[in-house]
Structures are given as structure tokens and as C-alpha cells.
Amino acid sequence: MCVFQREVPNIALLGSGGGQRAMVGLLGSLVQLNKAGLLDCILYLSGVSGSTWCMASLYKEPDWSTKLETVKDKIIERLNGPEVSSTDKLEKMKKYYYGKKFFSLTDVWAVLFITSYVKE
């Protein structure tokens, strides 16, 4: 390993939990890092709870870091859009029920609660 490689820091961005607030907070942090020209300095991106909702939305776009404004606009549009219909929630629950060996109240909670916040 050359001397230069040992001197380059490994920078991680860690997103917090907190539901939709954490989702929007991580998105805002990424946008500001991009505007400051620092997004490319981030080697690792990690989070819990609401931050992972943001990350899941980012990772739908393979080159999200180069298209961050577009991805941000899609997330904002989705969050401002209509609620997920009861029919769609029921279909998602059925998919979980038939696709898993164990189905619990956590699965019901996930569908009902998270679709309300993420609208997806």
C-alpha cells in the first residue's frame, strides 16, 4: 500500500432514526454535502430506522450520487403525494403472509405504519 493511500481518511455518514424526520434529515444532509462538493468524500453511508427509508429510495437509482437532485425531487413528490390505498396495503400484507414462513404483528405494523410515512 502506498503512503498516500494510508493517509486518505475513511469517512462515513451515519443517519439517525426517527421516522420521516430522519428520512428527510439524511436527504437534506446529502444534498448539502453535494452542494459543498463533499459528497464524493463519503466512503460509507449507514443509518437506522427512518434513515434507511431514505437510503432505500436512493438505492433505487444506481447512480444516485450523480443524480441526487432528481432523486431528491422524486422523494419529495412521493412524500407530498396521496396515501397508499387500503387495497394496496392489503395486497402487500398478503404478499408478506404468503411469502414468509413466519408472519407476525410486526409485519402488519410495518405495512400499516411505514406505508403511511414513506407512501410506498
mmCIF file of all heavy atoms in Angstrom, residues 23-66:
data_model
loop_
_atom_site.group_PDB
_atom_site.id
_atom_site.type_symbol
_atom_site.label_atom_id
_atom_site.label_comp_id
_atom_site.label_asym_id
_atom_site.label_seq_id
_atom_site.Cartn_x
_atom_site.Cartn_y
_atom_site.Cartn_z
ATOM 1 N N MET A 23 -35.601 10.507 7.785
ATOM 2 C CA MET A 23 -35.527 10.304 6.333
ATOM 3 C C MET A 23 -35.211 11.622 5.631
ATOM 4 O O MET A 23 -34.295 11.715 4.820
ATOM 5 C CB MET A 23 -36.841 9.734 5.820
ATOM 6 C CG MET A 23 -36.906 9.523 4.338
ATOM 7 S SD MET A 23 -38.564 8.941 3.881
ATOM 8 C CE MET A 23 -38.319 8.612 2.161
ATOM 9 N N VAL A 24 -35.963 12.649 5.978
ATOM 10 C CA VAL A 24 -35.774 13.963 5.354
ATOM 11 C C VAL A 24 -34.449 14.583 5.807
ATOM 12 O O VAL A 24 -33.750 15.236 5.025
ATOM 13 C CB VAL A 24 -36.974 14.884 5.669
ATOM 14 C CG1 VAL A 24 -36.738 16.294 5.189
ATOM 15 C CG2 VAL A 24 -38.242 14.307 5.039
ATOM 16 N N GLY A 25 -34.074 14.352 7.069
ATOM 17 C CA GLY A 25 -32.817 14.881 7.585
ATOM 18 C C GLY A 25 -31.610 14.334 6.843
ATOM 19 O O GLY A 25 -30.690 15.082 6.489
ATOM 20 N N LEU A 26 -31.589 13.029 6.608
ATOM 21 C CA LEU A 26 -30.475 12.434 5.868
ATOM 22 C C LEU A 26 -30.459 12.946 4.434
ATOM 23 O O LEU A 26 -29.393 13.282 3.904
ATOM 24 C CB LEU A 26 -30.549 10.906 5.886
ATOM 25 C CG LEU A 26 -29.437 10.195 5.119
ATOM 26 C CD1 LEU A 26 -28.058 10.562 5.665
ATOM 27 C CD2 LEU A 26 -29.640 8.691 5.145
ATOM 28 N N LEU A 27 -31.615 13.035 3.822
ATOM 29 C CA LEU A 27 -31.692 13.551 2.456
ATOM 30 C C LEU A 27 -31.137 14.976 2.392
ATOM 31 O O LEU A 27 -30.340 15.300 1.518
ATOM 32 C CB LEU A 27 -33.135 13.512 1.950
ATOM 33 C CG LEU A 27 -33.370 14.004 0.526
ATOM 34 C CD1 LEU A 27 -32.583 13.168 -0.480
ATOM 35 C CD2 LEU A 27 -34.861 13.971 0.208
ATOM 36 N N GLY A 28 -31.530 15.816 3.335
ATOM 37 C CA GLY A 28 -31.032 17.185 3.375
ATOM 38 C C GLY A 28 -29.530 17.246 3.576
ATOM 39 O O GLY A 28 -28.833 18.061 2.954
ATOM 40 N N SER A 29 -28.998 16.385 4.431
ATOM 41 C CA SER A 29 -27.552 16.347 4.662
ATOM 42 C C SER A 29 -26.801 15.959 3.387
ATOM 43 O O SER A 29 -25.777 16.554 3.054
ATOM 44 C CB SER A 29 -27.213 15.349 5.777
ATOM 45 O OG SER A 29 -27.771 15.765 6.991
ATOM 46 N N LEU A 30 -27.323 14.971 2.681
ATOM 47 C CA LEU A 30 -26.687 14.537 1.434
ATOM 48 C C LEU A 30 -26.718 15.642 0.378
ATOM 49 O O LEU A 30 -25.733 15.873 -0.324
ATOM 50 C CB LEU A 30 -27.367 13.273 0.905
ATOM 51 C CG LEU A 30 -27.171 12.018 1.748
ATOM 52 C CD1 LEU A 30 -28.105 10.917 1.278
ATOM 53 C CD2 LEU A 30 -25.724 11.559 1.708
ATOM 54 N N VAL A 31 -27.842 16.328 0.279
ATOM 55 C CA VAL A 31 -27.972 17.415 -0.690
ATOM 56 C C VAL A 31 -26.959 18.523 -0.370
ATOM 57 O O VAL A 31 -26.286 19.039 -1.261
ATOM 58 C CB VAL A 31 -29.419 17.960 -0.727
ATOM 59 C CG1 VAL A 31 -29.505 19.268 -1.490
ATOM 60 C CG2 VAL A 31 -30.351 16.919 -1.336
ATOM 61 N N GLN A 32 -26.844 18.890 0.911
ATOM 62 C CA GLN A 32 -25.899 19.945 1.291
ATOM 63 C C GLN A 32 -24.456 19.516 1.069
ATOM 64 O O GLN A 32 -23.630 20.317 0.630
ATOM 65 C CB GLN A 32 -26.117 20.366 2.742
ATOM 66 C CG GLN A 32 -27.343 21.218 2.927
ATOM 67 C CD GLN A 32 -27.356 22.454 2.026
ATOM 68 O OE1 GLN A 32 -28.246 22.599 1.191
ATOM 69 N NE2 GLN A 32 -26.380 23.313 2.157
ATOM 70 N N LEU A 33 -24.129 18.255 1.369
ATOM 71 C CA LEU A 33 -22.783 17.755 1.093
ATOM 72 C C LEU A 33 -22.485 17.818 -0.399
ATOM 73 O O LEU A 33 -21.374 18.163 -0.807
ATOM 74 C CB LEU A 33 -22.627 16.316 1.595
ATOM 75 C CG LEU A 33 -22.465 16.146 3.094
ATOM 76 C CD1 LEU A 33 -22.638 14.680 3.488
ATOM 77 C CD2 LEU A 33 -21.103 16.658 3.541
ATOM 78 N N ASN A 34 -23.481 17.499 -1.212
ATOM 79 C CA ASN A 34 -23.317 17.557 -2.661
ATOM 80 C C ASN A 34 -23.067 18.996 -3.116
ATOM 81 O O ASN A 34 -22.172 19.250 -3.919
ATOM 82 C CB ASN A 34 -24.541 16.969 -3.349
ATOM 83 C CG ASN A 34 -24.336 16.758 -4.830
ATOM 84 O OD1 ASN A 34 -23.276 16.313 -5.255
ATOM 85 N ND2 ASN A 34 -25.359 17.065 -5.610
ATOM 86 N N LYS A 35 -23.854 19.938 -2.589
ATOM 87 C CA LYS A 35 -23.696 21.346 -2.960
ATOM 88 C C LYS A 35 -22.329 21.885 -2.553
ATOM 89 O O LYS A 35 -21.760 22.739 -3.233
ATOM 90 C CB LYS A 35 -24.799 22.196 -2.334
ATOM 91 C CG LYS A 35 -26.146 22.005 -2.981
ATOM 92 C CD LYS A 35 -27.217 22.861 -2.333
ATOM 93 C CE LYS A 35 -28.560 22.630 -3.002
ATOM 94 N NZ LYS A 35 -29.643 23.389 -2.358
ATOM 95 N N ALA A 36 -21.801 21.367 -1.436
ATOM 96 C CA ALA A 36 -20.495 21.811 -0.951
ATOM 97 C C ALA A 36 -19.340 21.074 -1.633
ATOM 98 O O ALA A 36 -18.172 21.358 -1.361
ATOM 99 C CB ALA A 36 -20.411 21.612 0.559
ATOM 100 N N GLY A 37 -19.672 20.127 -2.513
ATOM 101 C CA GLY A 37 -18.643 19.362 -3.213
ATOM 102 C C GLY A 37 -17.979 18.309 -2.340
ATOM 103 O O GLY A 37 -16.876 17.861 -2.630
ATOM 104 N N LEU A 38 -18.657 17.900 -1.280
ATOM 105 C CA LEU A 38 -18.079 16.943 -0.335
ATOM 106 C C LEU A 38 -18.710 15.553 -0.394
ATOM 107 O O LEU A 38 -18.254 14.649 0.293
ATOM 108 C CB LEU A 38 -18.199 17.488 1.099
ATOM 109 C CG LEU A 38 -17.443 18.776 1.370
ATOM 110 C CD1 LEU A 38 -17.798 19.316 2.753
ATOM 111 C CD2 LEU A 38 -15.946 18.545 1.250
ATOM 112 N N LEU A 39 -19.750 15.384 -1.186
ATOM 113 C CA LEU A 39 -20.432 14.086 -1.229
ATOM 114 C C LEU A 39 -19.491 12.973 -1.672
ATOM 115 O O LEU A 39 -19.540 11.863 -1.150
ATOM 116 C CB LEU A 39 -21.658 14.147 -2.146
ATOM 117 C CG LEU A 39 -22.531 12.895 -2.173
ATOM 118 C CD1 LEU A 39 -23.103 12.597 -0.786
ATOM 119 C CD2 LEU A 39 -23.661 13.043 -3.166
ATOM 120 N N ASP A 40 -18.594 13.268 -2.591
ATOM 121 C CA ASP A 40 -17.660 12.254 -3.081
ATOM 122 C C ASP A 40 -16.650 11.829 -2.020
ATOM 123 O O ASP A 40 -15.940 10.845 -2.200
ATOM 124 C CB ASP A 40 -16.920 12.757 -4.318
ATOM 125 C CG ASP A 40 -17.823 12.820 -5.530
ATOM 126 O OD1 ASP A 40 -18.862 12.154 -5.529
ATOM 127 O OD2 ASP A 40 -17.477 13.540 -6.481
ATOM 128 N N CYS A 41 -16.552 12.579 -0.924
ATOM 129 C CA CYS A 41 -15.633 12.225 0.166
ATOM 130 C C CYS A 41 -16.192 11.122 1.055
ATOM 131 O O CYS A 41 -15.463 10.500 1.816
ATOM 132 C CB CYS A 41 -15.331 13.446 1.034
ATOM 133 S SG CYS A 41 -14.502 14.765 0.144
ATOM 134 N N ILE A 42 -17.488 10.874 0.963
ATOM 135 C CA ILE A 42 -18.138 9.876 1.813
ATOM 136 C C ILE A 42 -17.865 8.485 1.243
ATOM 137 O O ILE A 42 -18.185 8.197 0.094
ATOM 138 C CB ILE A 42 -19.662 10.111 1.886
ATOM 139 C CG1 ILE A 42 -19.984 11.522 2.359
ATOM 140 C CG2 ILE A 42 -20.327 9.063 2.762
ATOM 141 C CD1 ILE A 42 -19.503 11.848 3.737
ATOM 142 N N LEU A 43 -17.256 7.650 2.071
ATOM 143 C CA LEU A 43 -16.949 6.282 1.643
ATOM 144 C C LEU A 43 -18.043 5.311 2.068
ATOM 145 O O LEU A 43 -18.368 4.377 1.352
ATOM 146 C CB LEU A 43 -15.601 5.851 2.240
ATOM 147 C CG LEU A 43 -15.070 4.495 1.822
ATOM 148 C CD1 LEU A 43 -14.855 4.436 0.308
ATOM 149 C CD2 LEU A 43 -13.767 4.203 2.543
ATOM 150 N N TYR A 44 -18.633 5.549 3.243
ATOM 151 C CA TYR A 44 -19.672 4.671 3.775
ATOM 152 C C TYR A 44 -20.910 5.491 4.122
ATOM 153 O O TYR A 44 -20.811 6.599 4.618
ATOM 154 C CB TYR A 44 -19.198 3.967 5.052
ATOM 155 C CG TYR A 44 -17.973 3.116 4.861
ATOM 156 C CD1 TYR A 44 -16.727 3.560 5.304
ATOM 157 C CD2 TYR A 44 -18.050 1.877 4.235
ATOM 158 C CE1 TYR A 44 -15.593 2.786 5.135
ATOM 159 C CE2 TYR A 44 -16.917 1.101 4.058
ATOM 160 C CZ TYR A 44 -15.692 1.557 4.515
ATOM 161 O OH TYR A 44 -14.579 0.783 4.342
ATOM 162 N N LEU A 45 -22.059 4.897 3.880
ATOM 163 C CA LEU A 45 -23.335 5.509 4.243
ATOM 164 C C LEU A 45 -24.122 4.470 5.034
ATOM 165 O O LEU A 45 -24.323 3.351 4.558
ATOM 166 C CB LEU A 45 -24.106 5.929 2.991
ATOM 167 C CG LEU A 45 -25.487 6.546 3.188
ATOM 168 C CD1 LEU A 45 -25.394 7.826 4.016
ATOM 169 C CD2 LEU A 45 -26.116 6.848 1.831
ATOM 170 N N SER A 46 -24.535 4.833 6.226
ATOM 171 C CA SER A 46 -25.246 3.895 7.072
ATOM 172 C C SER A 46 -26.336 4.635 7.837
ATOM 173 O O SER A 46 -26.280 5.857 7.963
ATOM 174 C CB SER A 46 -24.261 3.253 8.062
ATOM 175 O OG SER A 46 -24.916 2.307 8.867
ATOM 176 N N GLY A 47 -27.298 3.902 8.328
ATOM 177 C CA GLY A 47 -28.367 4.529 9.088
ATOM 178 C C GLY A 47 -29.250 3.497 9.746
ATOM 179 O O GLY A 47 -29.083 2.298 9.544
ATOM 180 N N VAL A 48 -30.172 4.001 10.534
ATOM 181 C CA VAL A 48 -31.159 3.144 11.187
ATOM 182 C C VAL A 48 -32.533 3.757 10.984
ATOM 183 O O VAL A 48 -32.667 4.953 10.744
ATOM 184 C CB VAL A 48 -30.883 2.974 12.701
ATOM 185 C CG1 VAL A 48 -29.566 2.274 12.938
ATOM 186 C CG2 VAL A 48 -30.904 4.306 13.425
ATOM 187 N N SER A 49 -33.534 2.931 11.053
ATOM 188 C CA SER A 49 -34.924 3.354 11.018
ATOM 189 C C SER A 49 -35.215 4.296 9.849
ATOM 190 O O SER A 49 -35.047 3.921 8.700
ATOM 191 C CB SER A 49 -35.306 3.972 12.370
ATOM 192 O OG SER A 49 -36.700 4.170 12.442
ATOM 193 N N GLY A 50 -35.638 5.513 10.133
ATOM 194 C CA GLY A 50 -36.035 6.448 9.087
ATOM 195 C C GLY A 50 -34.941 6.752 8.079
ATOM 196 O O GLY A 50 -35.213 6.984 6.901
ATOM 197 N N SER A 51 -33.697 6.745 8.513
ATOM 198 C CA SER A 51 -32.600 6.995 7.575
ATOM 199 C C SER A 51 -32.522 5.907 6.514
ATOM 200 O O SER A 51 -32.182 6.170 5.363
ATOM 201 C CB SER A 51 -31.264 7.076 8.314
ATOM 202 O OG SER A 51 -31.222 8.213 9.124
ATOM 203 N N THR A 52 -32.858 4.685 6.906
ATOM 204 C CA THR A 52 -32.821 3.600 5.929
ATOM 205 C C THR A 52 -33.927 3.752 4.894
ATOM 206 O O THR A 52 -33.796 3.263 3.778
ATOM 207 C CB THR A 52 -32.920 2.216 6.599
ATOM 208 O OG1 THR A 52 -34.167 2.105 7.289
ATOM 209 C CG2 THR A 52 -31.771 2.007 7.574
ATOM 210 N N TRP A 53 -35.026 4.447 5.278
ATOM 211 C CA TRP A 53 -36.074 4.711 4.291
ATOM 212 C C TRP A 53 -35.518 5.614 3.202
ATOM 213 O O TRP A 53 -35.807 5.435 2.019
ATOM 214 C CB TRP A 53 -37.285 5.359 4.936
ATOM 215 C CG TRP A 53 -37.949 4.558 6.005
ATOM 216 C CD1 TRP A 53 -37.783 3.219 6.256
ATOM 217 C CD2 TRP A 53 -38.874 5.029 6.965
ATOM 218 N NE1 TRP A 53 -38.556 2.848 7.325
ATOM 219 C CE2 TRP A 53 -39.238 3.934 7.782
ATOM 220 C CE3 TRP A 53 -39.440 6.263 7.220
ATOM 221 C CZ2 TRP A 53 -40.136 4.051 8.830
ATOM 222 C CZ3 TRP A 53 -40.343 6.374 8.271
ATOM 223 C CH2 TRP A 53 -40.683 5.282 9.056
ATOM 224 N N CYS A 54 -34.723 6.589 3.590
ATOM 225 C CA CYS A 54 -34.082 7.469 2.617
ATOM 226 C C CYS A 54 -33.101 6.675 1.764
ATOM 227 O O CYS A 54 -33.090 6.796 0.543
ATOM 228 C CB CYS A 54 -33.350 8.612 3.332
ATOM 229 S SG CYS A 54 -32.436 9.707 2.227
ATOM 230 N N MET A 55 -32.296 5.855 2.410
ATOM 231 C CA MET A 55 -31.295 5.070 1.688
ATOM 232 C C MET A 55 -31.945 4.123 0.682
ATOM 233 O O MET A 55 -31.458 3.967 -0.438
ATOM 234 C CB MET A 55 -30.427 4.308 2.685
ATOM 235 C CG MET A 55 -29.557 5.222 3.528
ATOM 236 S SD MET A 55 -28.810 4.428 4.970
ATOM 237 C CE MET A 55 -27.891 3.116 4.233
ATOM 238 N N ALA A 56 -33.055 3.511 1.065
ATOM 239 C CA ALA A 56 -33.760 2.609 0.142
ATOM 240 C C ALA A 56 -34.227 3.374 -1.091
ATOM 241 O O ALA A 56 -34.155 2.864 -2.219
ATOM 242 C CB ALA A 56 -34.937 1.950 0.840
ATOM 243 N N SER A 57 -34.691 4.600 -0.883
ATOM 244 C CA SER A 57 -35.122 5.421 -2.017
ATOM 245 C C SER A 57 -33.934 5.799 -2.892
ATOM 246 O O SER A 57 -34.046 5.837 -4.116
ATOM 247 C CB SER A 57 -35.816 6.696 -1.516
ATOM 248 O OG SER A 57 -36.998 6.370 -0.827
ATOM 249 N N LEU A 58 -32.802 6.079 -2.273
ATOM 250 C CA LEU A 58 -31.601 6.425 -3.040
ATOM 251 C C LEU A 58 -31.139 5.251 -3.889
ATOM 252 O O LEU A 58 -30.796 5.406 -5.060
ATOM 253 C CB LEU A 58 -30.457 6.829 -2.098
ATOM 254 C CG LEU A 58 -30.620 8.098 -1.294
ATOM 255 C CD1 LEU A 58 -29.471 8.235 -0.302
ATOM 256 C CD2 LEU A 58 -30.690 9.322 -2.189
ATOM 257 N N TYR A 59 -31.123 4.077 -3.291
ATOM 258 C CA TYR A 59 -30.552 2.913 -3.960
ATOM 259 C C TYR A 59 -31.409 2.367 -5.093
ATOM 260 O O TYR A 59 -30.983 1.479 -5.821
ATOM 261 C CB TYR A 59 -30.242 1.818 -2.946
ATOM 262 C CG TYR A 59 -29.188 2.230 -1.934
ATOM 263 C CD1 TYR A 59 -29.144 1.654 -0.684
ATOM 264 C CD2 TYR A 59 -28.249 3.211 -2.226
ATOM 265 C CE1 TYR A 59 -28.188 2.028 0.255
ATOM 266 C CE2 TYR A 59 -27.288 3.595 -1.308
ATOM 267 C CZ TYR A 59 -27.262 3.003 -0.072
ATOM 268 O OH TYR A 59 -26.316 3.368 0.850
ATOM 269 N N LYS A 60 -32.608 2.896 -5.267
ATOM 270 C CA LYS A 60 -33.407 2.528 -6.440
ATOM 271 C C LYS A 60 -32.759 3.065 -7.709
ATOM 272 O O LYS A 60 -32.996 2.552 -8.797
ATOM 273 C CB LYS A 60 -34.827 3.086 -6.319
ATOM 274 C CG LYS A 60 -35.661 2.372 -5.309
ATOM 275 C CD LYS A 60 -37.034 2.989 -5.285
ATOM 276 C CE LYS A 60 -37.893 2.328 -4.256
ATOM 277 N NZ LYS A 60 -39.213 2.950 -4.179
ATOM 278 N N GLU A 61 -31.973 4.117 -7.555
ATOM 279 C CA GLU A 61 -31.275 4.749 -8.683
ATOM 280 C C GLU A 61 -29.808 4.339 -8.596
ATOM 281 O O GLU A 61 -29.108 4.745 -7.666
ATOM 282 C CB GLU A 61 -31.410 6.276 -8.585
ATOM 283 C CG GLU A 61 -30.721 7.040 -9.668
ATOM 284 C CD GLU A 61 -31.290 6.762 -11.042
ATOM 285 O OE1 GLU A 61 -32.506 6.916 -11.225
ATOM 286 O OE2 GLU A 61 -30.500 6.386 -11.929
ATOM 287 N N PRO A 62 -29.318 3.521 -9.548
ATOM 288 C CA PRO A 62 -27.939 3.024 -9.461
ATOM 289 C C PRO A 62 -26.883 4.134 -9.318
ATOM 290 O O PRO A 62 -25.933 3.964 -8.580
ATOM 291 C CB PRO A 62 -27.744 2.260 -10.772
ATOM 292 C CG PRO A 62 -29.121 1.922 -11.218
ATOM 293 C CD PRO A 62 -30.014 3.015 -10.714
ATOM 294 N N ASP A 63 -27.050 5.237 -9.974
ATOM 295 C CA ASP A 63 -26.084 6.337 -9.910
ATOM 296 C C ASP A 63 -26.643 7.499 -9.098
ATOM 297 O O ASP A 63 -26.529 8.660 -9.480
ATOM 298 C CB ASP A 63 -25.739 6.812 -11.327
ATOM 299 C CG ASP A 63 -25.093 5.720 -12.153
ATOM 300 O OD1 ASP A 63 -24.334 4.924 -11.579
ATOM 301 O OD2 ASP A 63 -25.361 5.664 -13.357
ATOM 302 N N TRP A 64 -27.237 7.208 -7.959
ATOM 303 C CA TRP A 64 -27.936 8.230 -7.181
ATOM 304 C C TRP A 64 -27.048 9.406 -6.820
ATOM 305 O O TRP A 64 -27.515 10.530 -6.780
ATOM 306 C CB TRP A 64 -28.580 7.631 -5.942
ATOM 307 C CG TRP A 64 -27.607 7.163 -4.892
ATOM 308 C CD1 TRP A 64 -27.126 5.899 -4.733
ATOM 309 C CD2 TRP A 64 -27.007 7.952 -3.865
ATOM 310 N NE1 TRP A 64 -26.262 5.845 -3.679
ATOM 311 C CE2 TRP A 64 -26.168 7.100 -3.123
ATOM 312 C CE3 TRP A 64 -27.086 9.295 -3.503
ATOM 313 C CZ2 TRP A 64 -25.416 7.540 -2.039
ATOM 314 C CZ3 TRP A 64 -26.338 9.742 -2.418
ATOM 315 C CH2 TRP A 64 -25.515 8.867 -1.703
ATOM 316 N N SER A 65 -25.770 9.159 -6.570
ATOM 317 C CA SER A 65 -24.906 10.256 -6.119
ATOM 318 C C SER A 65 -24.658 11.283 -7.222
ATOM 319 O O SER A 65 -24.387 12.444 -6.922
ATOM 320 C CB SER A 65 -23.579 9.729 -5.583
ATOM 321 O OG SER A 65 -22.864 9.067 -6.597
ATOM 322 N N THR A 66 -24.785 10.884 -8.472
ATOM 323 C CA THR A 66 -24.618 11.834 -9.571
ATOM 324 C C THR A 66 -25.953 12.427 -10.012
ATOM 325 O O THR A 66 -25.974 13.357 -10.808
ATOM 326 C CB THR A 66 -23.927 11.165 -10.789
ATOM 327 O OG1 THR A 66 -24.737 10.084 -11.246
ATOM 328 C CG2 THR A 66 -22.539 10.673 -10.423
#
